[in-house]
Amino acid sequence: MWRRALTLSQSKASQSWRVIATRGATSGSGKYSPSTSASTSAAAAVDSLLLRSLKDHYLEVSKLNPPPKVSPPSPFTIIKGALDSNGPVLRRTYGNEEINIYVMRLVNIIRGEGYDLEDDDEINQLFLHVDVSKPGQESSLHFLCGLYPDAIGIHSVSVRPKLETLADAVADAVPSRYNGPVFEDRHEGIKDALHTFLQERGVNESLFPFLQAWLYVKDHRNLLRWFKSVGTFINERKPVDA
């Protein structure tokens, strides 16, 4: 329900922006007026309409109830400040290894940001980056995985410099250098061993409920932040001198 409400609000907001854009285009294509005051008045009216729409949608989204709180499976812990950064979301140690988990929706990689939250087949696909590092080593073992409610699939395995942000992970999705052999073409024994390697470290489908809920909350916060930042920019715009 929370997801559907958030989607509806985003859809309404998009419709409002299209209406504003259409009105602006219509007024711009009309009879030219040299009057600076008339132009300024029209701009102020458009700004007022936009600010009112931003405020209405901000209030609507801010009233949405978040999904039920889900804790990550032990011994993973949530990294402080992860919701407001592009760094890892979860971390754990395994022996002398540090394991960091980065996540985004798989559909964001395939189709960009314009995904449909109503499509459960799409929302139930997460793009997982698993960074396994050891003290004293500059490189780490990097897994690119597809995470689903009932399974995890490895897309590639490579040895790369340790990841710092999600942007680094996304850049690695389109590597500029050799990223290891195509995983699906490897011998079944190697593939099974690598899956077991992740399973032993707790990287499996049990992560899905938490990471899915975490992404919903992050989307909610990002949308509220977007409304505020656009509104602040419009509200602080200074008139251009004639």
Side-chain angles (χ1 to χ4, degrees):
M1 180 62 71
W2 186 90
R3 167 162 54 91
R4 294 182 182 276
L6 178 56
T7 306
L8 179 60
S9 177
Q10 290 173 316
S11 176
K12 289 180 178 178
S14 297
Q15 292 173 4
S16 297
W17 312 150
R18 286 195 293 268
V19 169
I20 292 169
T22 301
R23 289 177 178 175
T26 301
S27 62
S29 61
K31 186 177 180 180
Y32 171 74
S33 173
S35 172
T36 302
S37 60
S39 177
T40 302
S41 177
V46 172
D47 286 359
S48 178
L49 176 63
L50 179 55
L51 287 169
R52 184 166 61 251
S53 183
L54 285 166
K55 181 179 179 180
D56 290 345
H57 289 293
Y58 177 88
L59 293 174
E60 181 180 358
V61 173
S62 65
K63 293 176 183 178
L64 297 177
N65 293 320
K69 186 175 182 179
V70 180
S71 298
S74 178
F76 283 98
T77 58
I78 305 171
I79 296 176
K80 185 177 180 180
L83 279 171
D84 297 311
S85 75
N86 289 320
V89 177
L90 297 175
R91 178 175 293 156
R92 69 158 295 186
T93 56
Y94 182 85
N96 69 333
E97 298 172 355
E98 180 180 276
I99 301 170
N100 287 288
I101 304 291
Y102 302 72
V103 65
M104 68 186 304
R105 290 194 178 87
L106 183 60
V107 71
N108 285 5
I109 298 295
I110 298 174
R111 298 187 183 180
E113 293 297 331
Y115 58 85
D116 182 1
L117 286 176
E118 293 299 311
D119 190 334
D120 288 337
D121 290 337
E122 292 185 350
I123 201 66
N124 286 338
Q125 302 178 60
L126 304 182
F127 194 48
L128 205 67
H129 301 264
V130 184
D131 192 76
V132 183
S133 61
K134 295 183 178 181
Q137 295 192 13
E138 295 182 357
S139 297
S140 61
L141 194 59
H142 183 206
F143 291 80
L144 271 65
C145 305
L147 181 65
Y148 308 88
D150 57 355
I152 185 171
I154 299 174
H155 294 300
S156 70
V157 183
S158 61
V159 177
R160 292 292 184 94
K162 185 177 179 181
L163 296 177
E164 297 294 340
T165 67
L166 186 58
D168 297 332
V170 173
D172 270 355
V174 186
S176 58
R177 63 180 181 177
Y178 185 60
N179 197 32
V182 177
F183 188 78
E184 287 303 315
D185 293 343
R186 296 306 90 205
H187 188 277
E188 288 299 323
I190 294 178
K191 292 193 289 187
D192 290 345
L194 287 170
H195 273 102
T196 301
F197 180 91
L198 289 182
Q199 291 286 341
E200 284 293 318
R201 288 153 178 79
V203 182
N204 53 47
E205 61 273 14
S206 68
L207 294 171
F208 186 89
F210 167 78
L211 291 174
Q212 185 188 51
W214 185 88
L215 282 172
Y216 288 153
V217 174
K218 188 175 180 69
D219 281 348
H220 181 258
R221 293 179 66 154
N222 283 342
L223 184 57
L224 289 176
R225 188 179 291 114
W226 181 83
F227 284 136
K228 291 182 69 174
S229 61
V230 174
T232 299
F233 177 85
I234 298 298
N235 202 37
E236 292 181 351
R237 192 183 73 172
K238 297 180 180 180
V240 179
D241 294 335

mmCIF file of all heavy atoms in Angstrom, residues 24 29 31 63 165:
data_model
loop_
_atom_site.group_PDB
_atom_site.id
_atom_site.type_symbol
_atom_site.label_atom_id
_atom_site.label_comp_id
_atom_site.label_asym_id
_atom_site.label_seq_id
_atom_site.Cartn_x
_atom_site.Cartn_y
_atom_site.Cartn_z
ATOM 1 N N GLY A 24 3.274 27.356 -19.820
ATOM 2 C CA GLY A 24 4.401 28.231 -20.118
ATOM 3 C C GLY A 24 4.665 28.317 -21.602
ATOM 4 O O GLY A 24 4.933 29.389 -22.139
ATOM 5 N N SER A 29 4.248 31.433 -26.750
ATOM 6 C CA SER A 29 4.018 31.438 -28.189
ATOM 7 C C SER A 29 3.008 32.492 -28.606
ATOM 8 O O SER A 29 2.676 32.623 -29.779
ATOM 9 C CB SER A 29 3.526 30.047 -28.630
ATOM 10 O OG SER A 29 2.307 29.752 -27.980
ATOM 11 N N LYS A 31 1.314 36.547 -28.474
ATOM 12 C CA LYS A 31 1.742 37.837 -28.997
ATOM 13 C C LYS A 31 2.847 38.420 -28.137
ATOM 14 O O LYS A 31 2.766 38.463 -26.926
ATOM 15 C CB LYS A 31 0.535 38.789 -29.027
ATOM 16 C CG LYS A 31 0.853 40.127 -29.698
ATOM 17 C CD LYS A 31 -0.392 40.972 -29.753
ATOM 18 C CE LYS A 31 -0.118 42.322 -30.418
ATOM 19 N NZ LYS A 31 -1.338 43.154 -30.473
ATOM 20 N N LYS A 63 2.906 12.480 4.414
ATOM 21 C CA LYS A 63 1.912 11.808 5.249
ATOM 22 C C LYS A 63 1.867 10.303 5.017
ATOM 23 O O LYS A 63 1.174 9.578 5.733
ATOM 24 C CB LYS A 63 0.525 12.399 4.982
ATOM 25 C CG LYS A 63 0.381 13.852 5.433
ATOM 26 C CD LYS A 63 -0.986 14.409 5.065
ATOM 27 C CE LYS A 63 -1.106 15.880 5.460
ATOM 28 N NZ LYS A 63 -2.422 16.453 5.062
ATOM 29 N N THR A 165 31.798 4.099 -3.212
ATOM 30 C CA THR A 165 30.423 4.577 -3.362
ATOM 31 C C THR A 165 29.688 3.720 -4.369
ATOM 32 O O THR A 165 30.288 2.920 -5.100
ATOM 33 C CB THR A 165 30.376 6.037 -3.843
ATOM 34 O OG1 THR A 165 30.879 6.094 -5.188
ATOM 35 C CG2 THR A 165 31.212 6.935 -2.944
#
